[in-house]
Amino acid sequence: MKNSVHYRPTQVAINLEAIKANIGNLRQYIGSLTSVIAVVKANGYGHGDVEVAIAAFEAGVQMVSVATPDEAVRLRMAGISGDILVMGPSPTSFAAKAAELDIIIAVSSAEWLQMALDYEEKISKPLKIHVKIDSGMGRIGLRDAASLQAILSIVEHTEDVQLDGIFTHFSCADEGNQGTTEKQFAMFKGLVQTLREKPRIVHASNSAAALLYRDYGLDAVRFGIGLYGIASSDYVAKKLPFTLERALQIESELVHVKYVEAGTPISYGGTYETTEGEWIGTIPIGYADGLRRGLRGQDVLVGGERAALVGTICMDQCMVKLAREMPIGEKVTLIGRQGQEEITMEEWAERLGTIPYEIAVSIAERIPRIYIGKDGQPI
C-alpha cells in the first residue's frame, strides 16, 4: 500500500495501527470462540474500504461486511480475497455474480431466493447466503419460523445455494434500555433453534452490543463504528471495556493570513464582522469537503490552541480568527489532536445536531486519504 502524491494541503490521515489495535482489543475481550466481522461499508465509514479491509484481515478478522453489492464487488476487484458479506438488500440479478465472485449475500425471504434462482442468468456455483432475521429493527428480514422454514426448504432442494449464516441487528444496543435488546436476542435465538443444523456463522451483535453484551457474541460480532475508534453513543462511551483508539484526523494549513481593522466583514453575506483589529487566516477546506456550513463558529486547532471558524463557510475555503499573527503553512487540525487539545467527531456532531456516523461518512472523497502506520509513518 503506497500513498499517492497529493498537492492539496488538506488531507485525512488514517492510522491503520489504531484500527488493528481496536480489533486486537476486541478479540481479547470477546474471547477466542467468537470471531470479528469488520464492517467497511460506506467506504470504510469514510476511512477507505480497501485499505481498512486489508488492515482488518491482517489483524485477524474472519470476514468483512458491506451494505451494497457494488461495495462488495469493489473490494473483490481490489484484490480482497477473504470472505465478504453484503448485509443490505441485493437485486435478484446480482445472485449469479455474487456466486461467481464468492460474495455472501443476505436473504430476507423465500420469494427473493426463488426469484434469484429463476433469474435468466444461471448460478454457476453455490451461492452463499446469510438469512436476515428482523427481530425488531423493522427494516429487512423475516419475522417468523414459517418464513425461515420456507427458505430452508429451497436450500434443501437445490445445490445452488449454501446456507452459510443467519443474523439479526439490534436497534437499541447503544442505549440504556436493555429490555429491548434482550427481547430481540431472545426472539432471534428462538428462530435459530428451529434450524435442524446450525450454519457456520450465527451473529447478532453490532459495535455497541459487542462492547456491552459480551454474552451475546455467538459465533461472530460485527465491528462497525467502534472499529474506527468511535463509540456508538455517549452511553456506550461511558461503559467501554477498553479504550478505543481514534483512527482519523483531518488536517490542513493556513494558506493566507491578514490583519484587518475593526468593522471588516468576512466571507459571503458579511455574516461575521470584526469588532477590533484581528488576524484572519484562510484554510483550504469547505462544505464540498464535508465541512458543513452549520459548523460556523466551530473551533479548529492552530499552534496547539483552539481558534474559531468565522464567517460563512465557503465551498472550498473557510476563515479562522487567529490569536496572533501566524505564518502561512501553519498546520491546522479540524478533527484530531494537537498537543493537549483535541477536537472529536462527537464535537462536530453535537454542533450539527447529528451523530458521529454521519460526520464520518460525509467527509468528501476529494480529500486525499493518507495512510499511516507505526509511529505515524506513512505507509
Side-chain angles (χ1 to χ4, degrees):
M1 182 190 309
K2 279 191 176 182
N3 288 308
S4 302
V5 175
H6 301 288
Y7 298 100
R8 191 181 184 198
T10 301
Q11 62 184 33
V12 175
I14 308 296
N15 188 334
L16 295 176
E17 289 302 313
I19 288 172
K20 291 180 179 180
N22 291 329
I23 293 170
N25 287 332
L26 179 64
R27 291 181 68 195
Q28 183 176 9
Y29 171 68
I30 61 178
S32 60
L33 298 180
T34 301
S35 62
V36 176
I37 300 171
V39 184
V40 298
K41 63 181 180 178
N43 192 29
Y45 289 61
H47 292 65
D49 52 359
V50 174
E51 294 80 4
V52 172
I54 292 171
F57 278 119
E58 290 176 350
V61 304
Q62 181 178 17
M63 175 185 296
V64 296
S65 64
V66 294
T68 71
D70 297 274
E71 290 177 334
V73 171
R74 169 182 157 81
L75 291 179
R76 200 54 100 214
M77 294 298 98
I80 303 299
S81 59
D83 283 347
I84 302 172
L85 167 65
V86 179
M87 297 181 294
S90 298
T92 54
S93 59
F94 180 63
K97 177 59 69 172
E100 175 191 334
L101 296 179
D102 199 24
I103 291 170
I104 306 165
I105 59 177
V107 171
S108 295
S109 71
E111 292 79 7
W112 185 97
L113 184 57
Q114 191 60 58
M115 288 173 63
L117 293 172
D118 293 341
Y119 192 74
E120 58 188 31
E121 185 176 356
K122 297 303 179 184
I123 293 174
S124 58
K125 60 181 182 179
L127 171 68
K128 294 179 182 178
I129 66 170
H130 282 206
V131 174
K132 177 63 184 290
I133 304 298
D134 177 12
S135 60
M137 184 69 177
R139 295 190 303 196
I140 63 171
L142 57 87
R143 297 178 61 86
D144 55 68
S147 299
L148 177 57
Q149 291 305 314
I151 290 179
L152 295 179
S153 179
I154 295 175
V155 173
E156 290 169 355
H157 289 85
T158 180
E159 295 182 352
D160 290 336
V161 179
Q162 176 184 335
L163 178 59
D164 184 66
I166 185 168
F167 72 113
T168 193
H169 188 84
F170 295 130
S171 62
C172 299
D174 60 350
E175 302 175 2
N177 179 12
Q178 297 183 14
T180 299
T181 302
E182 292 169 354
K183 182 179 179 181
Q184 282 193 254
F185 188 69
M187 186 268 204
F188 176 62
K189 286 284 286 183
L191 285 180
V192 171
Q193 288 168 0
T194 68
L195 299 174
R196 285 184 286 276
E197 183 177 347
K198 187 182 84 67
R200 180 173 69 111
I201 306 177
V202 179
H203 52 111
S205 293
N206 51 12
S207 284
L211 294 167
L212 302 186
Y213 297 83
R214 183 161 51 175
D215 293 343
Y216 291 3
L218 303 174
D219 297 318
V221 297
R222 301 184 302 275
F223 205 26
I225 195 72
L227 177 67
Y228 307 97
I230 304 165
S232 309
S233 66
D234 290 340
Y235 175 77
V236 173
K238 295 173 183 176
K239 294 180 173 294
L240 290 174
F242 56 86
T243 300
L244 294 172
E245 296 189 22
R246 296 181 183 273
L248 181 146
Q249 185 148 314
I250 302 179
E251 302 170 343
S252 191
E253 64 182 38
L254 298 176
V255 294
H256 187 74
V257 176
K258 58 183 174 292
Y259 180 83
V260 297
E261 303 292 339
T264 302
I266 301 296
S267 193
Y268 288 115
T271 54
Y272 177 79
E273 186 173 303
T274 59
T275 57
E276 57 185 353
E278 297 177 13
W279 286 99
I280 300 294
T282 301
I283 312 167
I285 183 173
Y287 61 79
D289 301 299
L291 186 70
R292 302 256 294 273
R293 283 161 61 96
L295 289 168
R296 183 175 69 190
Q298 169 64 41
D299 286 346
V300 299
L301 301 178
V302 191
E305 301 174 354
R306 285 178 172 259
L309 298 178
V310 294
T312 301
I313 293 173
C314 309
M315 182 180 289
D316 314 296
Q317 301 172 43
C318 61
M319 277 63 78
V320 57
K321 178 181 177 180
L322 303 173
R324 57 190 175 278
E325 181 179 9
M326 290 188 172
I328 289 175
E330 180 76 22
K331 181 178 177 180
V332 178
T333 299
L334 294 101
I335 290 179
R337 180 179 293 277
Q338 273 191 18
Q340 299 302 310
E341 290 283 355
E342 182 179 19
I343 293 173
T344 65
M345 283 192 194
E346 288 87 343
E347 187 173 330
W348 278 27
E350 183 176 359
R351 180 174 286 271
L352 292 170
T354 185
I355 56 176
Y357 297 72
E358 186 175 353
I359 302 300
V361 302
S362 297
I363 301 170
E365 292 190 20
R366 80 170 186 170
I367 304 182
R369 268 59 172 176
I370 307 299
Y371 295 91
I372 57 178
K374 293 181 180 179
D375 302 319
Q377 296 301 310
I379 295 176

